[in-house]
Amino acid sequence: MPKILVLDDDPGNAEVMQMVLESEGFQVKRICQSVELEPSMTSFCPDLVLMDILLDANDGRDICNDLKADRSTSHIPVMLITAMLESQVSNIACDADDIMFKPFDYAALVNKVKNVLHRAATN
């Protein structure tokens, strides 16, 4: 059962994503502050990180790039979610494996998560 770490500073969004993903058989840990990410990466060992771009004190694109630059986490796919416009997202280079724009359909979220995990498993 793949493990997904959800980081969203909106507890309601994080909870809904957790419920949707768990209903599809994923094991999910949700956190709402970016300072919780590093210890959660170590303790939970996720197969995928699902993260909002606009976070409490950080930008998810920068966090994603940090994860991708670290040899211990570079293999873990990162999927970003955002309410930003596509043109706003691209103003900061990012190594995310995929991105979803809000509002989104939860079935589409599940499909994207499955696709990202599948791509990661075949690389």
Side-chain angles (χ1 to χ4, degrees):
M1 161 179 359
K3 297 194 294 186
I4 300 173
L5 180 60
V6 174
L7 169 55
D8 193 325
D9 61 350
D10 181 324
N13 284 347
E15 184 176 6
V16 170
M17 285 187 285
Q18 180 179 16
M19 289 188 307
V20 167
L21 293 167
E22 284 178 345
S23 74
E24 292 291 322
F26 295 105
Q27 185 178 346
V28 181
K29 176 180 176 81
R30 74 180 140 93
I31 55 176
C32 295
Q33 296 182 333
S34 53
V35 296
E36 298 175 81
L37 182 65
E38 190 173 329
S40 296
M41 293 294 289
T42 303
S43 64
F44 186 62
C45 301
D47 298 301
L48 180 139
V49 176
L50 179 59
M51 171 173 40
D52 197 3
I53 288 180
L54 299 177
L55 295 166
D56 47 359
N58 293 292
D59 187 303
R61 294 166 292 188
D62 293 329
I63 295 171
C64 172
N65 290 340
D66 290 344
L67 290 170
K68 292 299 188 175
D70 185 327
R71 291 181 66 183
S72 66
T73 56
S74 63
H75 65 285
I76 301 170
V78 177
M79 190 171 140
L80 297 175
I81 53 173
T82 187
M84 297 169 72
L85 298 173
E86 197 165 344
S87 60
Q88 295 171 308
V89 171
S90 61
N91 67 3
I92 293 179
C94 181
D95 295 327
D97 295 273
D98 211 331
I99 188 165
M100 281 206 72
F101 293 91
K102 296 177 184 175
F104 51 78
D105 177 273
Y106 288 106
L109 173 69
V110 169
N111 285 335
K112 271 208 182 211
V113 164
K114 289 178 179 177
N115 287 337
V116 169
L117 287 167
H118 177 73
R119 284 195 315 261
T122 57
N123 285 342

